[in-house]
């Protein structure tokens, strides 16, 4: 090989010399022997990336985002908004080949890239993050299973992603999606784990952005859908306590828009935590009233005192690691959610909110809860909703 190179007048460079040259030229060379460097996130966000096109799906936004947890509830809305602006989205998944197929249609050809990975394998995580310049972590779960505890899903995995992103050297933005009410003193184990994840991530990457959405409402949500299904089946819903706990539910599309707005800014959102609550504060009872009003059912409740609700939810938690088979997902009586409902969950007075990101969140009554019409016993046309009252004749 060397003789041929000399005969042709070319200089022969061995592979080892080529690697050494790369490492000297690019000190952040990312490989198996790559050391752990300090945080290298760009101080101005992703504002300087090369952009091409008018900003639609066939444009190039310059963002290559790895979205962990993209197959979940918030993930589908975030992927849609990223793809809509011409970003390439890498979708790590650990389930079947069908769990991500609804995301493929959201972007231009080749812009949504599913990548199978193992969240417990560091090399697997490096592989799905290797070509990205943005990392968004949506991983979270509100109940435990035999394989994954609250602490592993909500804390350990997030800290591992931050460590690998810091080591990567080319990640310009890291966004962690936590929960409103996450605190080391929360009665909920999940919220304590989320608070520990925030602390660990900001320790690894001080420039990271933390989003703390309240209970999210949308077509696939896990609160109004659950209530409506229970009410349709049994004609009532159980209210934990007396339903007086205050919450500030938010439309899921607004949360996705907030994440995209943070990516598109000039870096002002870096190192900050945003509490994302809707424009209205509801008690649990008032939110249930809104659900009953939308599905056109007479409100019927059975008030379950918190000690009795905990008693009903405890057997699953006790048997979780003691039986040789997986237990069903907790539906109405989730012990950790019952613990969380013992405290109000609303946006703090001095917190960064939607207003700081230039977003006006939707009120829930109307379009954000209109998906509930599918639960009407008389069919979706039974009664009227906001969109049904709008007539084409009213437009100029």
């Amino acid at each position: 090989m060397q003789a041929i190179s000399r005969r042709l007048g070319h200089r022969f460079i061995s592979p080892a010399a080529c690697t050494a040259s790369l490492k000297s030229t690019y000190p952040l060379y990312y490989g198996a022997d790559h050391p752990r460097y300090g945080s290298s996130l760009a101080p101005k966000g992703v504002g300087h990336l090369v952009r091409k096109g008018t900003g639609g799906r066939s444009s190039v936004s310059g963002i290559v985002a790895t979205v962990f947890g993209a197959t979940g509830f918030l993930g589908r809305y975030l992927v849609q908004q990223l793809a809509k602006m011409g970003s390439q989205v890498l979708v790590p998944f650990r389930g079947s080949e069908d769990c991500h197929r609804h995301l493929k249609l959201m972007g231009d050809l080749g812009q949504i890239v599913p990548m199978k990975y193992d969240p417990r394998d560091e090399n697997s995580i490096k592989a799905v993050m290797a070509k990205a310049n943005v990392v968004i972590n949506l991983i979270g779960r509100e109940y435990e299973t035999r394989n994954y505890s609250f602490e592993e899903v909500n804390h350990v995995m997030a800290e591992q992603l931050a460590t690998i992103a810091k080591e990567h050297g080319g990640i310009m933005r890291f966004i962690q999606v936590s929960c409103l009410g996450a605190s080391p003193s929360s009665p909920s184990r999940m919220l304590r784990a989320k608070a520990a994840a925030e602390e660990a991530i900001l320790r690894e990457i001080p420039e990271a952005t933390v989003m703390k959405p309240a209970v999210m409402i949308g077509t696939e949500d896990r609160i109004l859908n659950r209530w409506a299904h229970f009410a349709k089946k049994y004609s009532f819903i159980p209210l934990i306590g007396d339903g007086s706990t205050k919450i500030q539910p938010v439309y899921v599309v607004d949360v996705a828009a907030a994440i995209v707005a943070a990516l598109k800014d000039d870096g002002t959102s870096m190192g900050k935590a945003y509490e994302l609550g809707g424009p209205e504060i509801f008690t649990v009872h008032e939110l249930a009233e809104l659900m009953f009003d939308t599905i056109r059912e007479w409100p019927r409740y059975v008030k379950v005192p918190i000690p009795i609700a905990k008693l009903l939810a405890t057997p699953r938690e006790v048997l979780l690691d003691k039986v040789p088979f997986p237990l069903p997902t907790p539906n109405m009586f989730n012990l950790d959610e019952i613990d969380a409902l013992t405290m109000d969950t609303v946006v703090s007075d001095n917190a960064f909110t939607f207003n700081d990101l230039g977003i006006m969140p939707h009120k829930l009554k109307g379009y954000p809860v209109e998906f509930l019409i599918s639960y009407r016993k008389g069919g979706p046309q039974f009664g009227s909703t906001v969109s049904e009252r709008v007539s084409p004749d009213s437009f100029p």
Side-chain angles (χ1 to χ4, degrees):
M1 186 70 179
Q2 297 183 31
I4 296 173
S5 298
R6 292 194 192 96
R7 191 177 305 131
L8 295 174
H10 296 157
R11 181 186 174 193
F12 177 79
I13 302 177
S14 67
C18 182
T19 302
S21 175
L22 276 172
K23 289 185 178 181
S24 63
T25 307
Y26 304 101
L28 292 181
Y29 177 82
Y30 188 58
D33 58 345
H34 175 72
R36 298 188 181 276
Y37 289 93
S39 177
S40 60
L41 270 68
K44 291 298 181 183
V46 293
H48 66 281
L49 291 175
V50 176
R51 289 178 168 81
K52 296 180 180 179
T54 57
R57 280 187 171 81
S58 295
S59 303
V60 176
S61 70
I63 295 174
V64 181
T66 300
V67 182
F68 291 92
T71 56
F73 174 35
L74 174 59
R76 67 186 64 205
Y77 295 93
L78 177 59
V79 169
Q80 191 271 341
Q81 294 206 25
L82 287 170
K84 188 177 179 180
M85 58 189 278
S87 305
Q88 187 173 49
V89 184
L90 310 179
V91 180
F93 71 97
R94 66 180 184 87
S96 70
E97 297 290 337
D98 293 334
C99 66
H100 56 75
R101 62 181 181 178
H102 60 286
L103 303 175
K104 295 271 288 181
L105 307 175
M106 295 179 178
D108 209 346
L109 186 63
Q111 291 295 86
I112 310 297
V113 185
M115 303 180 73
K116 196 168 183 67
Y117 88 119
D118 180 358
R120 288 174 171 151
D121 181 4
E122 187 171 330
N123 291 327
S124 171
I125 297 173
K126 286 182 178 180
V128 299
M129 205 185 288
K131 295 186 178 181
N133 53 31
V134 169
V135 173
I136 303 172
N137 179 32
L138 309 181
I139 296 175
R141 179 171 279 172
E142 68 278 7
Y143 60 90
E144 285 189 300
T145 65
R146 296 168 68 237
N147 296 322
Y148 291 96
S149 66
F150 280 126
E151 289 72 24
E152 182 176 9
V153 172
N154 299 295
H155 173 203
V156 176
M157 287 184 185
E159 183 175 11
Q160 184 181 35
L161 295 182
T163 302
I164 295 174
K166 175 181 175 181
E167 178 181 347
H168 184 291
I171 302 300
M172 297 178 181
R173 295 299 299 271
F174 188 101
I175 296 180
Q176 163 72 6
V177 176
S178 184
C179 290
L180 187 64
S183 166
S185 60
S186 173
S188 162
R189 281 180 60 198
M190 185 198 76
L191 294 179
R192 291 199 299 270
K194 284 290 188 182
E198 292 176 23
E199 181 183 352
I201 287 169
L202 292 174
R203 184 173 59 247
E204 292 286 341
I205 306 177
E207 302 92 344
T209 303
V210 178
M211 298 291 179
K212 304 177 71 170
V215 175
M216 290 183 288
I217 303 298
T219 306
E220 305 84 10
D221 72 26
R222 301 183 185 113
I223 179 167
L224 295 184
N225 274 303
R226 193 164 54 189
W227 287 352
H229 181 77
F230 195 95
K232 187 175 181 180
K233 190 172 183 180
Y234 300 106
S235 299
F236 74 94
I237 63 169
L239 274 185
I240 307 300
D242 58 358
S244 62
T245 304
K246 292 180 180 178
I247 56 177
Q248 199 166 345
V250 61
Y251 188 31
V252 63
V253 174
D254 294 331
V255 178
I259 296 172
V260 173
L263 283 179
K264 293 165 73 174
D265 68 12
D266 59 356
T268 55
S269 62
M270 298 178 76
K272 295 178 181 176
Y274 292 84
E275 296 189 4
L276 307 179
E280 301 166 298
I281 296 176
F282 294 81
T283 63
V284 174
H285 182 270
E286 290 169 346
L287 189 61
E289 288 281 330
L290 176 61
M291 182 275 297
F292 273 116
D293 182 59
T294 308
I295 68 173
R296 307 297 183 198
E297 291 286 337
W298 188 262
R300 294 183 181 90
Y301 308 101
V302 173
K303 293 184 179 180
V304 184
I306 288 178
I308 295 178
K310 287 185 177 181
L311 188 64
L312 294 172
T314 299
R316 180 187 184 275
E317 308 301 320
V318 172
L319 296 174
L320 190 62
D321 297 324
K322 294 182 173 59
V323 295
F325 52 84
L327 293 174
T329 301
N331 191 7
M332 298 300 290
F333 294 97
N334 181 337
L335 184 59
D336 197 73
E337 288 184 359
I338 294 169
D339 288 332
L341 283 174
T342 59
M343 295 182 64
D344 295 339
T345 308
V346 296
V347 174
S348 307
D349 293 335
N350 301 319
F352 294 105
T353 62
F354 280 113
N355 291 336
D356 299 287
L357 295 168
I359 294 173
M360 180 66 69
H362 291 76
K363 290 187 176 182
L364 288 194
K365 192 168 185 179
Y367 180 74
V369 296
E370 205 164 286
F371 65 90
L372 291 172
I373 65 176
S374 62
Y375 290 98
R376 293 178 178 175
K377 288 184 179 178
Q381 302 303 320
F382 180 72
S384 61
T385 59
V386 173
S387 65
E388 288 171 353
R389 288 198 295 268
V390 176
S391 169
D393 300 331
S394 63
F395 290 95

